[in-house]
Structure formats: structure tokens, C-alpha cells
Amino acid sequence: MPVAGILLVEDDPSVRTALELALTRQGHSVTSYATGEEALDHVRSRRPEIAILDVMLPGIDGVEVCRRIRRLDQLPVILLTARGDDLDVVVGLEAGADDYVVKPVEPRVLDARIRAILRRAESATSDRISFGDLVIDRGALKVSLAGKEIHLTPTELRLLLELVRHPGQVLNRRYLLRVVWDHTHVADSRLVDACVQRVRAKIEPRPAEPVFIHTVRGFGYRFSPP
Amino acid sequence: MPVAGILLVEDDPSVRTALELALTRQGHSVTSYATGEEALDHVRSRRPEIAILDVMLPGIDGVEVCRRIRRLDQLPVILLTARGDDLDVVVGLEAGADDYVVKPVEPRVLDARIRAILRRAESATSDRISFGDLVIDRGALKVSLAGKEIHLTPTELRLLLELVRHPGQVLNRRYLLRVVWDHTHVADSRLVDACVQRVRAKIEPRPAEPVFIHTVRGFGYRFSPP
DNA sequence: GTTCCGTGTCATGAAACTGTGACATCTCGC
DNA sequence: GCGAGATGTCACAGTTTCATGACACGGAAC
């Protein structure tokens, strides 16, 4: 795994120092700033591999920094949001963030997310990803199973792609509703379940015993290759 | 450290046997083949955790096997190359190998490389913590003991995660009721105890003498690794 | 208009989960 | 050793959660 050049933006000095220290210990090379302006300069001149932005910043806030970074570069971005601030998540993802992490964050968790995203960014050069018989072509938006092409509807495809984006991770229904469907939906609904069933019916050899999309009772669904 | 399912491909029977024996002794589970074709079949059907490929093979050579494995899966690959053959190394890394080892190889060295790569692969996708034999993956919401996956129900999992979040600290029943259950529960019941008992039954080798979740009489429970 | 497709909702039944309370067992102070 | 209080153990039924299939609605294609 490559040692990453990380750009960290966090205005609280104690949090910033703590994170910088922790990430350095994990083997990353970190540069940190307190404001978005400095960070944007850094992106332009130094080309870091990944940016970690606190959402609440003086001056330009983290989401706006994320948006401007997107205009400059394909740099992966992780947003740090205050606990339970759902709105931030929606806006952040819309601004093009690759992931978000709720503060206070454990260094171990942040490190895991960084590595996952870097790995994802690495493998994103090839638009095709395969899990055994299942091949997903993200460029052509085509899915095939054992060489045979499978037709997925737009919603089904978005759901599958979102699950595949986080292989092995459990994604809960609220998150899926927000990301796969648009913003405001009734929380209590079996909509996600129904869509998962539809995808399973198409990609699972035996939908009753799924090998790709697993149900995690009480939490959500997890994509993990057989 | 997890016991790895290793796929070994080496056409020289004496080298193959020697390596297989050595790796098995180090605690790995090894399957070996003499040709790339058999190996690819194995990857498709059995999903090993890591592949070790000799570069010089009859039929499809090791580098090509590596390339094809890459198309199938994100499986880590170690290439075995003959001494001093620089060209192989470059080609091998281009084919997507994670590491290469020069023959003749000392089992101890090979084992170290294997463990390093597995550790990397492990921490790359998910955040997990381990306490001895007990491994808790908070991203995948999976718990395993001595490599064997353990199924916990939602409440059991929430309880365990809460205890693990505060290792070494005593958490009282009122606190656990509030955090793990929804605050609307009577303080005086055997609820917490029953749930702790259920978790113990699953993760403790000998539930009667717990090594993970300890009872602190009069106060509550404490998670502390053995 | 009609037809077809995509999608959200709902009813149903099966399976899994969980609170409860009775009772057993343990621990500690005496 | 005894007793009281604390904790462990267990079974079971009510509840929750999910899979499944049917259905209705709206929009796009024709």
C-alpha cells in the first residue's frame, strides 16, 4: 500500500495536531492547514493524494473547499462532519466527497477509510470490476453474470454500484435511501428491501441464498463477493 | 493472525512439497498445483486468500496467471522468480503482483512476506479490532473467534460494540440500557444480564469463566481482553 | 389512445429476535 | 456455614424484521 500524501484541513488546533500525529504514525505523510484557502493553494501546487476536510471551517467551509477541489482535480476527498448532522452528509456527497466520517473519529477508522478510498481510486482506472462470475462495467454501466449480460434498471444499478463501492461494508437503509434515491424519502418503508430483492433476482444464482448481497438483520445490507 | 488459505503453484515437485510442508508448519492452509490452469480453476471455485506463483511454469506462465487472477479478483499475489532475473520482476509488478521473492527462498522469509501482505490486505478494506482470538470488524459488522465467524443478533452486537468501545471500563446496567436499548426500559430487570450471557455463550471459549466480558459485582460489566 | 416498463407500496407468511420471569447458582459479610 | 442480595440460566411466546409476490400508478414509447 502506498504511503499517501495527505492534506488535512481542520481549524481546531488540538484536533488537527492529534489527527496529524495519528496519521503519521500509521505511515502517512501529512500536511495540515487551518483554513480552506491555504488548502486550495496546496492542492494547486503540491498535488496531494487525498484530502481530509473538516466541514466547519472559518471562511470557506469544507463543503465548498470540496467543490473547488473537484474543479481542480480528481483528488479523493473525505469530509469530517459533526455527529448526527445528517444535512452535512447529503450536501457533502452532492459536492463530490468520496466519503464522510463522523467526529470524533478514531484514527484507526480514519486510516481504514483512507486506505479503502486510495485503493478504490487506484482501481478506478479500470472501469471494470469483477467478483467471480459477476462483472460490473462502471464505464459502460453494464453488468454481466458468467458472461451473460444482465439488464438492470437505473435504480437497481445505482443500488448495486453503491453497494459495490463499499465492498464488505454494511450499509444501512437510511444511507442507501439518501444516496441511491434522492434526498427526502419516508424513513419507514420497505423500499430498499424491495429493490434489493429485484437486484438479487437478477444477479444471484439462487436469490433465496444470496452470495453477493447479504442481509444483515437489524442493520442493512452488505455486498461481499462469494 | 488469521490462518491463510494459500494457493501455491510450482512445477518442480520437490520445491513444491518442501514449500507446502514449510508453510503448513507455519500454520497456513495450503493447496498446491503444478500448472497455471489448475490454479485459475482453484481461484474461481475456492477463493484462496493469497496466491504464490512460480514464474517459470509449463503452459501459462506465472506472470500470465497473475494477470488473469487480477481480472478475476483482488487476490494478493506473490511471485517466485529465479535468482537475478531482473526482467521478471518488472513484468511481474506490471502484471499486478503484490510482491516477489527470489528463489531459493527461506520459508521464514516467505512466511513474513505472506503475513505482511495479508495484514495490508486486511486493514485496507475495513476497520477491525482484535483481542487475541476475537476479531471485531466494525465496518462489516462481523465478529469472529479463532478465525471462525460468529453470528450475533443485532442487540447482542450493539452490546458488544458498546463494551468494546470502552475497554477496561466498567459500564453499569443503567448506562447500557440507555445506550444499547432505547431509554424506555425498566432499570431493574435481568435484561442486560441475559444479553451479556448470550454474548458470552457465543464469544467466550468457557462462558463460566469469561475472559472478555467480566462481571463487576454491584456495578456492571467490563470488557477487557485476556 | 394503448402498451410496456420502471417503481413505489402493500399484504402475507416465515423466520429470527428478544423481553420476561421463574428458578438456580454464586458471592460476600457475618 | 448461613442468609440475603446479586447474577447466571433457560425456555417460550409475542414481536419485529425480512422475503416474496401482487398490484397500482405514472411516464415513455409507439
Side-chain angles (χ1 to χ4, degrees):
Chain A
M1 179 61 95
V3 172
I6 297 181
L7 167 62
L8 173 66
V9 190
E10 162 69 58
D11 59 322
D12 183 329
S14 65
V15 175
R16 186 172 70 240
T17 312
L19 280 180
E20 189 167 344
L21 183 64
L23 290 172
T24 305
R25 258 200 209 126
Q26 312 263 17
H28 303 285
S29 137
V30 184
T31 313
S32 68
Y33 298 100
T35 71
E37 287 86 349
E38 294 170 307
L40 284 168
D41 280 345
H42 180 92
V43 170
R44 272 186 281 265
S45 61
R46 308 285 286 281
R47 300 265 159 174
E49 292 180 69
I50 186 168
I52 302 173
L53 312 173
D54 186 20
V55 169
M56 292 294 285
L57 289 175
I60 317 176
D61 75 7
V63 174
E64 182 56 28
V65 174
C66 175
R67 245 182 237 116
R68 298 198 191 174
I69 284 180
R70 270 283 160 285
R71 263 178 269 157
L72 286 175
D73 201 346
Q74 280 314 317
L75 197 64
V77 173
I78 295 179
L79 288 179
L80 295 178
T81 82
R83 183 181 289 280
D85 205 341
D86 281 352
L87 200 60
D88 283 349
V89 173
V90 178
V91 176
L93 291 175
E94 275 170 9
D98 294 84
D99 206 349
Y100 64 94
V101 173
V102 174
K103 292 198 293 184
V105 54
E106 276 181 65
R108 185 195 300 268
V109 172
L110 189 54
D111 180 54
R113 300 287 187 100
I114 290 170
R115 287 171 192 275
I117 284 185
L118 284 179
R119 160 174 285 212
R120 217 153 66 199
E122 222 168 75
S123 71
T125 46
S126 88
D127 270 345
R128 273 179 58 202
I129 187 168
S130 54
F131 306 92
D133 274 353
L134 183 70
V135 179
I136 300 175
D137 189 326
R138 285 176 290 194
L141 296 179
K142 277 181 182 169
V143 175
S144 63
L145 187 67
K148 246 174 67 183
E149 192 177 332
I150 287 176
H151 171 73
L152 292 184
T153 69
T155 308
E156 289 162 4
L157 188 59
R158 279 201 309 275
L159 173 64
L160 179 59
L161 287 177
E162 190 55 36
L163 288 166
V164 166
R165 235 167 66 90
H166 308 271
Q169 304 284 108
V170 174
L171 304 183
N172 66 43
R173 294 180 171 70
R174 247 198 20 221
Y175 173 83
L176 288 170
L177 273 177
R178 269 205 307 262
V179 176
V180 176
W181 286 264
D182 41 9
H183 38 83
T184 45
H185 248 96
V186 224
D188 184 310
S189 118
R190 304 244 67 81
L191 178 53
V192 177
D193 306 51
C195 196
V196 165
Q197 297 328 311
R198 282 167 180 154
V199 176
R200 273 181 182 156
K202 294 181 181 181
I203 71 169
E204 296 281 1
R206 306 185 52 188
E209 295 151 36
V211 288
F212 294 114
I213 304 179
H214 303 272
T215 303
V216 182
R217 187 170 260 264
F219 293 98
Y221 295 94
R222 174 179 53 216
F223 180 91
S224 55
Chain B
M1 180 56 104
V3 173
I6 296 181
L7 167 62
L8 173 66
V9 191
E10 163 66 61
D11 59 322
D12 182 330
S14 65
V15 176
R16 183 170 74 241
T17 312
L19 281 179
E20 188 165 346
L21 183 64
L23 290 172
T24 306
R25 262 204 205 121
Q26 313 264 18
H28 303 286
S29 136
V30 184
T31 314
S32 70
Y33 298 99
T35 71
E37 286 87 349
E38 293 170 309
L40 285 167
D41 280 346
H42 181 91
V43 170
R44 272 186 281 263
S45 61
R46 307 284 288 283
R47 296 264 159 177
E49 291 180 69
I50 186 168
I52 301 173
L53 312 173
D54 186 19
V55 170
M56 292 294 285
L57 289 174
I60 317 177
D61 74 8
V63 174
E64 181 57 28
V65 173
C66 175
R67 244 182 237 116
R68 299 201 191 173
I69 284 179
R70 271 285 161 285
R71 260 178 272 160
L72 285 174
D73 202 345
Q74 282 84 348
L75 194 64
V77 173
I78 295 179
L79 289 179
L80 295 178
T81 79
R83 180 183 294 278
D85 206 343
D86 284 348
L87 198 63
D88 282 346
V89 172
V90 176
V91 176
L93 292 177
E94 272 170 12
D98 292 85
D99 204 352
Y100 64 94
V101 173
V102 174
K103 290 198 291 184
V105 55
E106 266 186 73
R108 185 191 304 268
V109 171
L110 188 54
D111 181 54
R113 303 288 187 101
I114 290 170
R115 286 176 193 273
I117 285 184
L118 285 178
R119 225 178 0 248
R120 217 152 70 193
E122 194 175 279
S123 75
T125 51
S126 196
D127 52 310
R128 45 176 103 183
I129 347 170
S130 43
F131 306 92
D133 273 354
L134 183 71
V135 179
I136 302 175
D137 187 323
R138 287 175 291 186
L141 297 180
K142 274 185 185 172
V143 175
S144 62
L145 187 67
K148 240 175 80 183
E149 192 175 335
I150 289 176
H151 175 75
L152 293 185
T153 68
T155 308
E156 289 162 5
L157 189 56
R158 280 200 305 274
L159 173 64
L160 179 59
L161 287 175
E162 191 55 38
L163 288 166
V164 165
R165 266 188 50 182
H166 310 275
Q169 294 195 23
V170 179
L171 304 182
N172 65 45
R173 295 181 171 70
R174 234 193 29 236
Y175 172 82
L176 288 170
L177 274 176
R178 207 179 55 232
V179 177
V180 178
W181 286 264
D182 40 12
H183 39 74
T184 52
H185 265 99
V186 244
D188 182 50
S189 78
R190 305 255 58 73
L191 181 49
V192 177
D193 306 58
C195 196
V196 165
Q197 188 280 0
R198 281 169 178 155
V199 175
R200 276 179 179 158
K202 293 182 181 181
I203 70 170
E204 296 282 2
R206 305 186 51 188
E209 296 150 35
V211 285
F212 295 114
I213 304 179
H214 304 272
T215 303
V216 181
R217 197 182 166 80
F219 295 97
Y221 297 94
R222 169 168 48 89
F223 181 91
S224 52

